[in-house]
Amino acid sequence: MATEAQGAGDGGLVFHPMDQFMVKPLFGAGEVGFFTLTNVTLWMALTVAAIFALLVLGTAGRATIPSRTQSIAELAYDFVRKMVEDVAGKDGLVFFPYIMTLFLFILFANVLGLLPMAFTTTSHIAVTAVLAMMVFLTVTIVGFVRHGAGFLSLFWVSSAPLPLRPVLALIEVISYFVRPVSHSIRLAGNMMAGHAVVKVFAAFAPMIIISTGIGLLVTPLSILAIATIYALELLVAFIQAYVFTILTCVYLKDALHPHH
Amino acid sequence: MASEPQATESASGLPQLDFSTFGNQIFWLLVALVVIYFILSRVALPRIAAVLAERQGTITNDLAAAEDLKVKAVEAEEAYKKALADARTEAQKIVAETKAAIKADLDKANEKADQEIKARTAEGEKALAEIRDGALEAVRDVAKDVTAELVSAMGGKADGRSVSAAVTARMKG
């Protein structure tokens, strides 16, 4: 906000597309410590509140014929449950609350982050990396606990010709360890890029104040672009939550049934 | 304050790669996830599961009840059809009985009428015969008288016996 005011004072266009991602203390301007109340805290609290509102307050009626909110809550429940069951199998349902937590957190963080002036917690690699590492560790631990050394057969492609198997095993091991990286960067990258693009177009919008001639063309165009990108971002918010969740289910399937 | 965020930004480039905020983010993320997990696993998911199960139960019950009612409806229809068929048979029986009774009555009445007609006819014929006989007698008497008168008028002497004999012979002829 401060930088925007400064920029307007200079009378030029202001490009700070990355400012929206800055982690700032909510009160005062000190260092960001471990337990400092920051905008991260605020938006994560809002995410939790939104989830609470939908899934707890929305279903408070426990109606046989559901209200609209209850319908949405049931829809989300069925959606994730079916995904877990279809992809990871019946025994994957033990992890349903865990996967539901991931899905709802990412979905609500993504969508709340689309509000103007919002802070998108899932645009930070620190957040998505933790989410991805949690999945990675869960999958690895569950795999070894359930199957012991048999879990390593995941890397030993028994359907391939014998001479190829060591090479394939190496590739499989690398891909296994790259999973959390791609898993986390995909989400954070999508969120960051979309929001940054919106901010860039938004910076062009006040052109009409600076120069009426160019502004007549540029301002409507940039506003149109913001609206379009915003719609796309809404789609991406859902899709990325879905992708993260379904990949979690796929990885979990490897842990539960490592034999191809 | 205006220069402060910029300083942070320029120091680390992308805010995402400002490692000094990682601890804070990770801490609050874990707090949020734990809270969400407990909200879901303790309250929301069991509740939704219960609601869905209850709805499924209600639907199953309703379907079963509907099936029951359908069977009952079919039974009622069968009973109705049976009653209808029974009534029709009964009606036909009654119709046949009534017809037979009426026919018997009619036959009896006909016969009686026939007999009466016959008796009347016989009576009539008898009366007719009597009348015819009476007429013949009268004709004979008239013929005798006329003959006697004719005979006397022609100057003969009418002898009652011969005249009547002649008339009788003529009438026979």
Side-chain angles (χ1 to χ4, degrees):
Chain A
M1 268 181 290
T3 45
E4 273 163 311
Q6 187 192 35
D10 293 348
L13 288 180
V14 195
F15 288 97
H16 291 298
M18 294 302 164
D19 276 10
Q20 58 176 323
F21 301 121
M22 280 193 305
V23 177
K24 293 175 216 154
L26 279 181
F27 309 106
E31 274 290 294
V32 175
F34 222 73
F35 307 112
T36 317
L37 291 173
T38 55
N39 46 0
V40 178
T41 320
L42 173 67
W43 286 96
M44 282 194 181
L46 287 175
T47 307
V48 173
I51 293 170
F52 183 82
L54 177 65
L55 266 86
V56 176
L57 302 183
T59 60
R62 298 161 203 258
T64 307
I65 299 162
S67 62
R68 287 182 208 183
T69 334
Q70 195 186 320
S71 280
I72 297 170
E74 286 171 9
L75 209 67
Y77 177 94
D78 270 346
F79 178 69
V80 178
R81 195 186 165 88
K82 227 176 127 45
M83 199 194 311
V84 175
E85 205 179 327
D86 288 352
V87 178
K90 274 247 184 282
D91 41 356
L93 283 178
V94 188
F95 300 96
F96 169 55
Y98 175 59
I99 292 171
M100 187 80 174
T101 304
L102 291 178
F103 174 73
L104 286 176
F105 174 78
I106 296 169
L107 178 64
F108 276 86
N110 288 355
V111 174
L112 283 174
L114 281 174
L115 293 173
M117 313 301 291
F119 174 82
T120 319
T121 48
T122 41
S123 68
H124 274 263
I125 194 74
V127 169
T128 59
V130 169
L131 293 172
M133 279 313 290
M134 280 167 64
V135 172
F136 179 78
L137 289 175
T138 309
V139 167
T140 310
I141 292 167
V142 168
F144 278 112
V145 167
R146 292 260 174 122
H147 302 282
F151 181 55
L152 292 173
S153 70
L154 179 66
F155 308 115
W156 197 249
V157 188
S158 49
S159 56
L162 193 59
L164 272 180
R165 283 185 206 173
V167 185
L168 283 175
L170 186 68
I171 295 171
E172 289 281 335
V173 169
I174 293 171
S175 86
Y176 186 80
F177 283 99
V178 168
R179 273 177 185 182
V181 178
S182 65
H183 207 184
S184 56
I185 290 181
R186 181 181 304 113
L187 177 58
N190 267 288
M191 286 304 112
M192 188 180 84
H195 287 68
V197 169
V198 171
K199 248 316 202 278
V200 168
F201 279 120
F204 277 112
M207 181 65 102
I208 196 152
I209 301 167
I210 300 155
S211 157
T212 322
I214 311 168
L216 274 178
L217 181 70
V218 171
T219 301
L221 266 183
S222 60
I223 290 170
L224 185 71
I226 292 168
T228 317
I229 298 286
Y230 195 89
L232 183 70
E233 277 307 290
L234 206 56
L235 189 69
V236 168
F238 277 93
I239 289 175
Q240 286 308 318
Y242 174 69
V243 166
F244 193 97
T245 318
I246 202 156
L247 281 175
T248 305
C249 293
V250 170
Y251 298 161
L252 202 60
K253 194 201 87 187
D254 284 345
L256 298 170
H257 317 282
H259 316 287
H260 291 282
Chain B
M1 196 189 156
S3 59
E4 211 169 22
Q6 255 176 337
T8 335
E9 198 190 359
S10 54
S12 64
L14 271 179
Q16 273 85 348
L17 298 178
D18 180 1
F19 292 101
S20 67
T21 65
F22 270 34
N24 181 272
Q25 292 193 57
I26 291 166
F27 170 72
W28 289 113
L29 171 69
L30 293 178
V31 170
L33 287 180
V34 167
V35 172
I36 295 171
Y37 183 82
F38 276 101
I39 289 173
L40 290 185
S41 62
R42 292 291 145 92
V43 187
L45 299 185
R47 184 188 289 178
I48 295 173
V51 168
L52 291 179
E54 197 191 312
R55 182 172 311 145
Q56 198 55 48
T58 310
I59 290 170
T60 315
N61 282 347
D62 284 2
L63 282 181
E67 196 62 39
D68 263 15
L69 289 175
K70 200 176 157 195
V71 169
K72 271 185 193 158
V74 169
E75 272 170 12
E77 203 193 339
E78 295 285 309
Y80 165 77
K81 272 186 187 158
K82 195 165 166 284
L84 202 67
D86 282 358
R88 198 168 282 154
T89 327
E90 190 75 8
Q92 268 164 0
K93 218 167 95 190
I94 290 170
V95 166
E97 266 171 21
T98 315
K99 236 184 215 168
I102 290 172
K103 198 162 183 285
D105 279 359
L106 207 65
D107 285 355
K108 223 163 97 188
N110 268 346
E111 205 166 318
K112 206 175 147 196
D114 278 356
Q115 270 172 359
E116 209 157 292
I117 290 167
K118 234 182 246 169
R120 289 269 174 89
T121 314
E123 235 168 71
E125 271 171 4
K126 210 171 125 197
L128 213 62
E130 261 169 33
I131 290 167
R132 203 192 294 138
D133 286 356
L136 266 172
E137 206 66 29
V139 167
R140 185 174 296 151
D141 284 349
V142 170
K144 276 178 194 168
D145 285 350
V146 170
T147 311
E149 284 300 315
L150 276 173
V151 170
S152 64
M154 284 171 48
K157 181 79 172 109
D159 173 6
R161 275 204 27 213
S162 54
V163 168
S164 86
V167 168
T168 310
R170 271 290 182 194
M171 279 181 75
K172 267 180 190 157

